[in-house]
C-alpha cells in the first residue's frame, strides 16, 4: 500500500514507482493541511532527483512493451483503470476531501470525470492510427503515430485527481509511460490512483508518481534526459520557467495556465440561467477553477438589477454545503490581499469581501462569496486571476464594447456568452480570443478540446486533440521497385 502509518496519527504517502510504493531517497516527508479546519493532514514523501531518476528509469523500461500491445489490449487495461477508480471512489474522495475540503458534490463530479477520461481514451485509441499516402505506383508510404516514451505530467492543487487523469489517460492511451508530479499540497489521491491502477493490472512502471516540491521534483523531472515530453497545468510563472527548460532541451510541452474568463450577458439573454451560471462560477470549487468565468460583463440596460440578483444569490450560499474552502494558506492570504488592494483603490463589494469571522467556517480557509460591481478595467480586480470566490462586474453598451472588454485581458482560456440572439452569440464566439467559447451555457465535456490562447498557454488537453499531443508522427516509405 502507498500509505503507511509510521506514527500513531500521521499517515504517510510514499512515491509509487515501478508498480510499488517507494520511500523517498532522503527519508523525509512534507506536511499537508486540512483547509476545512486548518488541522494538519497526511504527510507526503519529499522527493528529490534520485527518486525522479528511479521513476524515469522504471517508465523507460515499461513503455516499449506497452506501446507494442494491440490497441484492444491497451484499451482493456485502461477500462480496468476506469473501473478501479469507480470502485475506489470512497477512498479517493476521502483523500481528496482531507487536503482540499471540497464539497461532496464537487468531489463526486471530479471523481466521475477522472474515470470517464480513462473510458474516453480507452475507446478513442482504437481509432488512433496513421494514414497511407499515395505517391504513385512505385511506393508504399504510410504514417505511424508513435509514443514519445516517457512523459512527465506536473499538476496543481485545485483539481488534483481530475487534472492528473486528464493528462494521464491520453498519454497512456497513445503508448507512453508517465511520471506524475502532483502538487505537494494535494498528492495523496494521485498516489492512490497509481496503486489502484497497478492492482487493476496496469503493467508496472507505466504510471509512476513522485511527490515533492516543484524545485526538488518538478524541475529535475523536466530536465531528465529520458523525459521526452512535459504536460504542465499550473500558474503562468511556473509555466514560463518550464517553457525555458523545454526550449533548452528541445522537447514539446503542453501548458495549461491561468484565466480571467468573461461571462458576457446581453439584455435579451435568459437572465435566470445566466445568473445561475455566474453563481456557479463562484461556488464550483470556491472559484478555484482556471476556466471559471468570473469577469461578469453585463449590458448596461440590465447591469444593475442583474448584479443585485447575483449578489443576493451569493448571499444564499452556505460554506461547506455549497462551496469549499480555499485550498492553501498562501492562496487564502492572496485573496484577502486582493480585497485590501480593492479597498485602497476605493472599491466596495456589493457582497462579501472578507473571510468568515465566527462559527465553523472561521476555523477553516473559507472566504465569503464576493461581488464587486462597476470595476474599473485597469484595476487588478478586473485584470488578475483571483483564485477564489470573487466576481468582478463591468457594464457594456453594445456588441463591439462587449468584445473589447472580453478581450481586454492577458489570458484567453474560456468565454461564456448569453444572448437571445444566437447569431450575435456565434459572431462573438468566433471573434473572442479564447480557446473555448460557450453560448447560452452549452457544457464543455471530455470530448471538447481544452486549452488556452495568449497567456493561458498552448497545446490542448481533452478530446481527440489530446491523443495527438502525446504522439509523434513517423513517415515510412518503401520503394516497391519495378515488376
Ligand atoms: P504552480 O505553478 O505553483 O504549481 C503547479 C505545479 O507545478 C505543482 O505541482 C508545483 O509543485 C509545480 N512546480 C512549481 N514550481 C515548479 C518548478 N520550478 N519546476 C517544475 N514544477 C514546479 O500552480 P498552483 O498554485 O499549484 O496552481 C494554481 C494555478 O494553476 C492557477 O494559476 C490556475 O489558473 C492554474 N490552473 C490551470 C488549469 C488549466 O487547465 N489551464 C487548471 C487548473 C489550474
Amino acid at each position: 500500500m502507498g500509505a503507511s502509518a509510521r506514527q500513531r496519527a500521521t499517515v504517510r504517502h510514499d512515491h509509487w514507482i515501478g508498480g510499488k510504493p517507494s520511500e523517498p531517497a532522503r527519508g523525509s516527508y512534507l506536511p499537508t493541511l486540512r483547509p476545512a479546519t486548518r488541522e494538519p493532514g497526511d504527510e507526503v514523501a519529499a522527493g528529490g532527483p534520485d527518486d525522479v531518476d528511479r521513476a524515469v528509469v522504471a517508465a523507460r523500461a515499461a513503455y516499449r512493451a506497452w506501446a507494442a500491445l494491440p490497441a484492444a489490449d491497451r484499451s482493456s487495461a485502461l477500462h480496468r483503470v476506469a473501473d478501479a477508480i469507480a470502485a475506489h471512489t470512497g477512498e479517493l474522495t476521502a483523500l481528496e476531501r482531507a487536503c482540499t475540503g471540497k464539497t461532496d458534490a464537487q468531489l463526486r463530479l471530479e471523481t466521475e470525470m477522472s474515470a470517464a477520461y480513462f473510458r474516453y481514451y480507452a475507446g478513442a485509441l482504437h481509432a488512433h492510427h496513421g494514414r497511407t499516402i499515395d505517391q504513385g505506383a512505385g511506393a508504399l508510404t504510410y504514417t505511424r503515430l508513435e509514443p514519445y516514451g516517457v512523459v512527465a505530467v506536473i499538476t496543481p492543487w485545485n483539481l488534483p485527481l481530475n487534472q492528473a487523469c486528464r493528462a494521464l489517460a491520453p498519454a497512456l492511451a497513445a503508448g507512453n509511460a508517465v511520471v506524475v508530479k502532483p502538487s505537494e499540497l494535494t498528492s495523496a489521491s494521485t498516489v492512490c490512483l497509481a496503486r489502484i491502477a497497478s492492482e487493476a493490472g496496469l503493467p508496472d512502471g507505466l504510471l509512476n508518481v513522485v511527490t515533492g516540491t516543484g524545485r526538488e521534483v518538478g524541475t529535475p523531472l523536466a530536465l531528465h534526459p529520458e523525459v521526452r515530453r512535459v504536460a504542465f497545468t499550473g500558474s503562468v510563472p511556473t509555466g514560463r520557467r518550464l517553457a525555458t527548460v523545454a526550449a533548452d532541451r528541445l522537447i514539446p510541452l503542453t501548458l495549461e495556465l491561468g484565466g480571467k474568463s468573461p461571462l458576457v450577458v446581453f439584455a435579451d439573454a435568459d437572465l435566470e440561467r445566466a445568473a445561475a451560471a455566474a453563481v456557479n462560477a463562484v461556488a464550483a470549487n470556491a472559484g478555484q477553477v482556471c476556466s471559471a468565468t468570473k469577469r461578469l460583463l453585463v449590458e448596461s440596460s440590465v447591469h444593475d438589477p442583474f448584479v443585485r440578483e447575483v449578489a443576493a444569490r451569493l448571499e444564499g450560499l452556505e460554506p461547506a454545503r455549497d462551496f469549499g474552502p480555499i485550498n492553501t494558506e498562501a492562496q487564502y492570504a492572496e485573496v484577502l490581499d486582493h480585497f485590501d488592494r480593492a479597498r485602497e483603490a476605493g472599491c466596495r463589494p456589493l457582497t462579501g469581501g472578507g473571510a468568515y469571522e465566527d462559527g465553523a467556517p472561521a476555523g477553516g480557509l473559507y472566504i465569503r462569496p464576493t461581488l464587486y460591481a462597476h470595476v474599473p478595467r485597469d484595476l487588478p480586480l478586473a485584470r488578475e486571476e483571483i483564485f477564489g470566490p470573487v466576481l468582478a462586474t463591468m457594464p457594456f453598451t453594445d456588441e463591439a464594447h462587449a468584445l473589447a472588454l472580453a478581450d481586454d485581458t492577458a489570458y484567453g482560456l474560456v468565454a461564456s456568452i448569453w444572448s437571445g440572439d444566437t447569431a450575435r452569440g456565434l459572431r462573438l464566439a468566433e471573434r473572442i480570443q479564447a480557446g473555448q467559447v460557450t453560448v447560452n451555457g452549452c457544457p464543455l465535456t471530455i470530448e471538447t478540446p481544452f486549452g488556452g490562447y495568449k497567456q493561458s498557454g498552448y497545446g490542448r488537453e481533452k478530446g481527440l486533440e489530446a491523443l495527438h499531443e502525446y504522439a509523434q508522427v513517423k513517415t515510412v516509405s518503401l520503394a516497391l521497385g519495378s515488376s
Side-chain angles (χ1 to χ4, degrees):
M1 305 282 281
S4 58
R6 309 234 167 86
Q7 294 170 0
R8 202 155 38 89
T10 307
V11 175
R12 286 180 160 177
H13 301 273
D14 289 320
H15 307 306
W16 190 268
I17 297 175
K20 46 184 189 301
S22 175
E23 292 185 7
R26 289 183 296 209
S28 51
Y29 291 80
L30 297 168
T32 67
L33 178 80
R34 294 171 179 261
T37 56
R38 288 189 169 99
E39 292 166 312
D42 295 353
E43 293 182 349
V44 300
D50 291 344
D51 303 304
V52 168
D53 189 56
R54 280 188 298 118
V56 174
V57 167
R60 181 85 179 80
Y63 100 87
R64 280 188 194 283
W66 171 247
L69 285 177
D73 292 2
R74 271 186 283 137
S75 173
S76 58
L78 297 185
H79 273 298
R80 286 198 300 276
V81 176
D83 293 342
I85 293 172
H88 288 80
T89 294
E91 186 178 359
L92 289 164
T93 55
L95 291 169
E96 204 85 309
R97 185 185 294 108
C99 61
T100 64
K102 290 172 190 281
T103 62
D104 288 342
Q106 182 70 29
L107 286 167
R108 204 167 36 250
L109 183 78
E110 291 178 26
T111 313
E112 283 172 6
M113 202 161 166
S114 300
Y117 279 121
F118 279 92
R119 291 200 202 291
Y120 176 77
Y121 289 106
L125 74 83
H126 285 284
H128 178 68
H129 39 61
R131 62 193 175 99
T132 56
I133 297 165
D134 189 350
Q135 289 191 305
L140 170 63
T141 302
Y142 59 97
T143 60
R144 287 168 51 76
L145 303 182
E146 298 192 343
Y148 282 89
V150 183
V151 170
V153 171
I154 303 178
T155 55
W157 44 256
N158 57 327
L159 309 167
L161 182 69
N162 193 272
Q163 281 155 342
C165 292
R166 187 178 73 185
L168 280 172
L172 290 169
N176 301 281
V178 181
V179 179
V180 193
K181 202 280 285 180
S183 165
E184 59 273 34
L185 308 167
T186 54
S187 298
S189 59
T190 308
V191 178
C192 179
L193 168 74
R195 192 201 87 219
I196 65 177
S198 294
E199 289 167 1
L202 190 73
D204 293 349
L206 284 183
L207 172 44
N208 309 279
V209 183
V210 181
T211 62
T213 64
R215 200 165 53 83
E216 297 286 334
V217 177
T219 303
L221 184 57
L223 282 169
H224 197 291
E226 290 292 349
V227 167
R228 296 290 158 80
R229 193 184 213 298
V230 177
F232 173 74
T233 306
S235 65
V236 172
T238 308
R240 198 170 278 128
R241 252 178 251 130
L242 283 171
T244 309
V245 171
D248 199 45
R249 293 197 50 223
L250 293 177
I251 59 168
L253 169 72
T254 304
L255 291 179
E256 295 290 358
L257 307 177
K260 186 74 177 173
S261 298
L263 191 137
V264 184
V265 184
F266 286 90
D268 63 359
D270 181 337
L271 296 178
E272 171 68 29
R273 290 185 59 226
V279 171
N280 188 53
V282 161
N285 212 37
Q288 301 164 107
V289 181
C290 53
S291 54
T293 46
K294 293 181 294 181
R295 213 155 43 95
L296 189 50
L297 313 180
V298 188
E299 194 164 0
S300 314
S301 59
V302 293
H303 177 277
D304 289 2
F306 183 79
V307 301
R308 273 199 302 274
E309 170 63 21
V310 172
R313 292 186 190 198
L314 294 183
E315 281 165 10
L317 295 176
E318 287 283 336
R321 184 195 70 185
D322 299 318
F323 65 98
I326 301 298
N327 269 34
T328 78
E329 295 269 19
Q331 186 61 37
Y332 179 77
E334 195 176 312
V335 177
L336 294 179
D337 185 54
H338 270 288
F339 295 157
D340 289 343
R341 288 158 67 194
R343 194 176 309 115
E344 284 158 18
C347 287
R348 299 277 171 275
L350 214 54
T351 188
Y356 288 85
E357 271 146 30
D358 42 40
L365 304 179
Y366 289 91
I367 285 189
R368 290 182 185 279
T370 297
L371 185 149
Y372 288 92
H374 290 277
V375 174
R377 63 197 281 181
D378 55 336
L379 284 192
L381 270 183
R383 312 195 73 79
E384 292 178 18
E385 180 178 52
I386 304 177
F387 234 43
V390 185
L391 282 175
T393 87
M394 282 173 254
F396 65 82
T397 49
D398 57 17
E399 192 178 320
H401 190 203
L403 179 62
L405 285 179
D407 278 345
D408 187 21
T409 162
Y411 296 106
L413 196 52
V414 170
S416 169
I417 300 166
W418 294 79
S419 174
D421 178 347
T422 44
R424 174 165 62 187
L426 283 179
R427 255 193 325 269
L428 265 189
E430 293 191 3
R431 289 177 189 163
I432 283 178
Q433 293 289 302
Q436 40 278 301
V437 187
T438 69
V439 182
N440 293 337
C442 194
L444 297 170
T445 59
I446 288 175
E447 295 84 356
T448 56
F450 180 80
Y453 278 27
K454 302 194 287 187
Q455 302 243 328
S456 290
Y458 46 75
R460 290 293 176 268
E461 300 280 17
K462 306 203 297 181
L464 296 179
E465 281 73 3
L467 261 186
H468 292 284
E469 294 275 340
Y470 295 105
Q472 43 194 350
V473 179
K474 176 185 281 178
T475 301
V476 179
S477 191
L478 170 72
L480 295 176
S482 51
S483 58

